[in-house]
């Protein structure tokens, strides 16, 4: 009798494992189907972007239909043109300047190979940080590691960027390798550098990237976290985990360090449409998906979880969570005014 019960229990466990495995496989299949369907929808709008939206981008970007398409993700085929148009400003580096600085970088490299680092004076620490980060930049793509197709392009843009802003005493900001690599997936070195310079020196969010007004942003996020996800906010507060632990890495890399490339580029699409407020909504959306895990973890567990990565998150589910997170535009406007008044 006991042997029969043991056999029955063993079979029940086996059946449950099969059911669970089938559920996982079905979820994977449904995720792939959703991804394929979304990609088909985006690709089908490329012609509309080329013929209707891009020629009148400034005029139409506030149109409700255009916003809806934009939030789905800009078609990859037109992403370069849209990003370049949205990021263009009066600080744009000319092609001539770009070539001049690139020549300086080439000389610096030749001298460095001979043991003379004088041209890199003041940039040694920045290069050390960058050289550590490039190794972990989108490793799954196999495009930026040593000897890979885009490794040299990434090194060129980062070093030209460092030489160009040398007088600003900013140095290399962790996460910059990821942002630049994302640009290089859609545009050449010259346009990638200009997008990078725009983010750092003329976009309102540049103050965060340069390391100023960070605390004010963490405080604002704490407020909206407690409003939107009170249980998560209370639990993190009880563990003495403040937003600076995770928000710094999330924001300064535009989530490229923790999300899949596809999700991160869509985040950046939306950032260009809505501005900084979208980054806060994205952070809330992530915490919303992680809420049940967070509330069941101790301090060490939460800290490890919040470091990511979250590449396995289904993009449709992630952006659905983001869209459910609302932030008062009036409240955000007041916050921005307070930040800008201290700039």
């Amino acid at each position: 009798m006991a042997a029969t019960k043991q056999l029955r229990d063993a079979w029940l466990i086996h059946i449950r494992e099969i059911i669970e495995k089938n559920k996982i496989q079905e979820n994977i299949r449904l995720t792939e189907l959703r991804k394929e369907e979304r990609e088909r929808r985006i690709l089908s709008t490329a012609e509309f972007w080329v013929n209707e939206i891009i020629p009148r981008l400034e005029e139409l970007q506030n149109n409700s239909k255009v916003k809806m398409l934009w939030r789905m993700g800009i078609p990859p085929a037109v992403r370069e043109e849209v990003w370049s148009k949205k990021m263009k400003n009066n600080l744009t580096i000319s092609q001539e300047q770009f070539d001049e600085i690139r020549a300086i970088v080439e000389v610096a490299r030749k001298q460095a190979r001979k043991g003379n680092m004088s041209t890199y004076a003041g940039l040694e620490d920045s290069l050390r940080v960058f050289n550590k980060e490039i190794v972990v930049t989108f490793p799954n793509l196999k495009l930026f590691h040593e000897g890979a197709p885009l490794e040299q392009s990434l090194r060129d843009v980062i070093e030209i960027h460092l030489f160009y802003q040398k007088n600003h005493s900013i140095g290399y900001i962790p996460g910059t390798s990821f942002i630049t690599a994302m640009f290089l997936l859609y545009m050449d070195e010259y346009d990638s550098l200009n997008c990078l310079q725009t983010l750092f020196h003329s976009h309102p969010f540049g103050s965060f990237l340069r390391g100023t007004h960070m605390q004010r942003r963490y405080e604002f996020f704490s407020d909206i976290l407690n409003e939107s996800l009170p249980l998560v906010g209370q639990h993190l507060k009880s563990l003495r985990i403040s937003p600076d632990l995770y928000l710094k890495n999330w924001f300064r890399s535009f989530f490229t360090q923790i999300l899949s490339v596809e999700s991160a580029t869509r985040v950046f699409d939306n950032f260009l449409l809505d501005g900084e407020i979208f980054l806060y909504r994205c952070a809330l959306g992530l915490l919303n998906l992680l809420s049940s895990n967070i509330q069941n973890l101790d301090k060490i567990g939460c800290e490890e979880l919040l470091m990511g990565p979250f590449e396995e998150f289904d993009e449709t589910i992630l952006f659905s969570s983001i869209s459910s997170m609302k932030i008062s535009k009036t409240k955000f406007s007041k916050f921005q005014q307070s930040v800008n008044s201290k700039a």
Side-chain angles (χ1 to χ4, degrees):
M1 198 74 174
T4 304
K5 184 178 184 302
Q6 287 176 351
L7 185 62
R8 187 181 68 241
D9 290 345
W11 269 107
L12 285 173
I13 291 170
H14 180 61
I15 290 168
R16 288 194 193 104
E17 287 175 348
I18 292 174
I19 292 171
E20 190 61 32
K21 186 178 180 180
N22 287 339
K23 280 182 181 177
I24 292 171
Q25 290 175 339
E26 179 64 10
N27 285 336
I28 291 171
R29 190 183 70 83
L30 291 174
T31 297
E32 288 300 317
L33 286 174
R34 282 197 297 268
K35 183 179 178 181
E36 289 172 9
E37 176 59 28
R38 198 185 73 80
E39 287 175 350
R40 276 197 294 270
R41 287 202 310 270
I42 291 172
L43 290 172
S44 69
T45 68
E47 189 175 346
F48 184 73
W49 274 89
V50 171
N51 296 328
E52 303 293 334
I53 301 176
I54 293 176
R56 302 162 57 201
L57 187 64
E58 192 170 341
E59 174 190 347
L60 293 177
Q61 63 187 358
N62 292 318
N63 176 280
S64 58
K65 181 180 178 181
V66 172
K67 279 187 171 183
M68 181 189 71
L69 291 175
W70 198 315
R71 290 200 170 99
M72 283 171 55
I74 300 169
V78 300
R79 197 168 255 143
E80 174 183 7
E81 192 168 0
V82 176
W83 283 6
S84 294
K85 278 178 174 286
K86 283 293 291 180
M87 303 281 278
K88 199 166 185 178
N89 61 84
N90 57 4
L91 292 178
T92 298
I93 299 170
S94 68
Q95 184 68 55
E96 185 179 3
Q97 285 176 299
F98 178 85
D99 293 337
E100 286 175 359
I101 303 170
R102 179 175 241 161
I104 293 171
V105 169
E106 287 298 328
V107 170
R109 287 173 179 166
K110 286 179 182 177
Q111 292 178 339
R113 284 193 287 269
K114 296 176 182 178
N116 180 2
M117 295 291 292
S118 60
T119 313
Y120 281 120
L123 297 177
E124 298 91 342
D125 289 342
S126 291
L127 289 171
R128 271 193 291 273
V129 177
F130 166 60
N131 283 327
K132 287 181 180 178
E133 194 166 85
I134 191 174
V135 178
V136 295
T137 299
F138 298 138
N140 294 337
L141 294 183
K142 302 186 186 306
L143 289 173
F144 301 101
H145 63 272
E146 188 175 355
L150 291 177
E151 182 215 0
Q152 197 55 56
S153 294
L154 180 53
R155 288 190 179 279
D156 286 352
V157 175
I158 292 294
E159 290 193 35
I160 293 170
H161 167 68
L162 290 173
F163 271 96
Y164 184 77
Q165 64 174 21
K166 199 172 180 180
N167 294 333
H168 295 285
S169 301
I170 298 173
Y172 181 82
I173 306 297
T176 307
S177 178
F178 286 84
I179 302 169
T180 309
M182 179 178 68
F183 291 152
L184 285 168
L185 292 174
Y186 300 99
M187 53 184 67
D188 62 20
E189 292 96 331
Y190 173 69
D191 286 331
S192 295
L193 178 70
N194 273 313
C195 284
L196 197 59
Q197 291 298 320
T198 296
L199 282 180
F200 272 86
H201 299 294
S202 65
H203 195 281
F205 191 64
S207 62
F208 182 90
L209 297 175
R210 296 192 304 272
T212 59
H213 308 307
M214 297 170 79
Q215 188 56 41
R216 183 70 191 90
R217 285 177 164 96
Y218 299 147
E219 291 168 359
F220 175 74
F221 185 74
S222 288
D223 289 343
I224 59 174
L225 174 60
N226 288 326
E227 287 180 4
S228 303
L229 301 167
L231 295 179
V232 174
Q234 289 166 16
H235 185 63
L236 292 177
K237 186 177 180 181
S238 71
L239 298 176
R240 296 187 178 181
I241 296 177
S242 58
D244 60 295
L245 174 79
Y246 52 93
L247 215 59
K248 181 190 291 185
N249 287 339
W250 292 7
F251 275 15
R252 68 185 179 187
S253 71
F254 290 89
F255 296 90
T256 53
Q257 284 183 299
I258 59 168
L259 295 178
S260 68
V261 178
E262 294 83 3
S263 292
T265 49
R266 189 174 168 190
V267 166
F268 195 76
D269 289 342
N270 281 269
F271 167 75
L272 291 182
L273 177 65
D274 294 331
E276 185 177 338
I277 192 171
F278 187 80
L279 299 182
Y280 294 94
R281 291 181 59 214
C282 185
L284 289 174
L286 266 174
L287 291 176
N288 182 40
L289 293 179
L290 296 169
S291 60
S292 59
N293 289 336
I294 288 173
Q295 292 175 66
N296 288 305
L297 290 172
D298 60 11
K299 182 178 176 66
I300 294 175
C302 279
E303 288 175 345
E304 290 177 352
L305 175 68
L306 293 170
M307 289 299 101
F310 311 112
E311 294 178 356
E312 76 284 357
F313 278 176
D314 174 64
E315 187 178 333
T316 302
I317 294 172
L318 170 62
F319 278 84
S320 176
S321 180
I322 293 171
S323 67
S324 71
M325 295 293 109
K326 309 300 180 186
I327 299 174
S328 163
K329 289 185 178 179
T330 302
K331 183 170 186 173
F332 184 75
S333 179
K334 287 181 179 178
F335 156 70
Q336 275 198 313
Q337 288 172 9
S338 71
V339 169
N340 293 337
S341 67
K342 296 172 184 176

